[in-house]
Amino acid sequence: MTPFIQRALVNSLRKVSADLFFEVLNNELAKNYSIRLFTLTEIDHLGGQAKRIYSSAPKQYPIGGYKQIETNDWSKQVLEQGEAFIANTEKALSEVFFDHQLISSMGLGAVINWPVIVEGKVVGTVNILSSENSYLDCDLEQFEALYSWFVIAFLLPVLRESSL
């Protein structure tokens, strides 16, 4: 990670602007991956729900929107095993995402869902989507390099709520 990006992330935090911080994360990932949709999703294991804390397309995927977590291959891989999920076709997305028609209508057909794990539990996922076959043979190094920043991203809503 370049010192400029490190500085941009720190400065966005100092300004107490979670949205700016999330945008900097999106921009940093976009240097290595095609991104047409970027979301951060907080996981509520007890309630069996996921809540969007950031979306680069809030009209289609509103911030604060909840969705039930389905028990399927995706949830087993990402939420139970803590492994990234990569799919590169609309068909593959339709097998695990109930909202695959909306995803497809946005011209999206590939996804990387990166689990953020704290103390052995997935607290959220970093999600990038683009057109079909965008993530064939992709390297996940950039996700690993930004890991500590992703953890901070999922702490920001908690800190915001506790300071109200």
Side-chain angles (χ1 to χ4, degrees), residues 17 19 28 30-31 42 54 56 63 75 83 86 88-89 91 111 115 119 136 145 150-151 154-155 159:
S17 172
D19 286 342
E28 182 62 15
K31 290 180 180 179
E42 181 181 86
Y54 180 78
S56 63
I63 296 167
S75 63
E83 297 174 5
I86 302 171
N88 277 290
T89 65
K91 181 181 182 324
V111 66
E119 294 185 343
L136 294 172
F150 294 147
V151 171
F154 286 100
L155 289 175
L159 294 172

Side-chain angles (χ1 to χ4, degrees), residues 119-139:
E119 294 185 343
K121 185 174 232 171
V122 175
V123 297
T125 60
V126 177
N127 314 294
I128 63 173
L129 293 91
S130 194
S131 55
E132 278 195 311
N133 299 317
S134 290
Y135 307 127
L136 294 172
D137 301 318
C138 74
D139 181 352

Side-chain angles (χ1 to χ4, degrees), residues 19 22 38-55 61-70 74 79 98-99 113-114 116 122-127 150 153-162 164:
D19 286 342
F22 300 151
F38 174 72
T39 67
L40 298 171
T41 308
E42 181 181 86
I43 304 300
D44 171 6
H45 291 276
L46 293 177
Q49 295 183 317
K51 176 185 177 185
R52 229 171 281 99
I53 63 170
Y54 180 78
S55 173
Y61 285 98
I63 296 167
Y66 283 90
K67 63 181 179 179
Q68 284 299 122
I69 297 171
E70 297 180 37
W74 179 90
L79 302 181
F98 76 91
D99 57 347
N113 301 119
W114 180 267
V116 177
V122 175
V123 297
T125 60
V126 177
N127 314 294
F150 294 147
F154 286 100
L155 289 175
L156 288 175
V158 174
L159 294 172
R160 185 183 298 151
E161 286 177 18
S162 68
L164 295 177

Side-chain angles (χ1 to χ4, degrees), residues 76-94:
K76 289 176 186 154
Q77 181 174 330
V78 177
L79 302 181
E80 292 175 23
Q81 298 168 358
E83 297 174 5
F85 175 81
I86 302 171
N88 277 290
T89 65
E90 288 181 23
K91 181 181 182 324
L93 297 181
S94 73

Side-chain angles (χ1 to χ4, degrees), residues 6-42:
Q6 179 100 3
R7 203 169 320 121
L9 287 165
V10 169
N11 287 339
S12 66
L13 283 173
R14 286 185 176 158
K15 292 179 183 178
V16 192
S17 172
D19 286 342
L20 176 59
F21 179 75
F22 300 151
E23 288 172 21
V24 173
L25 284 175
N26 183 7
N27 293 339
E28 182 62 15
L29 284 170
K31 290 180 180 179
N32 294 288
Y33 309 98
S34 170
I35 301 176
R36 294 184 41 210
L37 175 62
F38 174 72
T39 67
L40 298 171
T41 308
E42 181 181 86

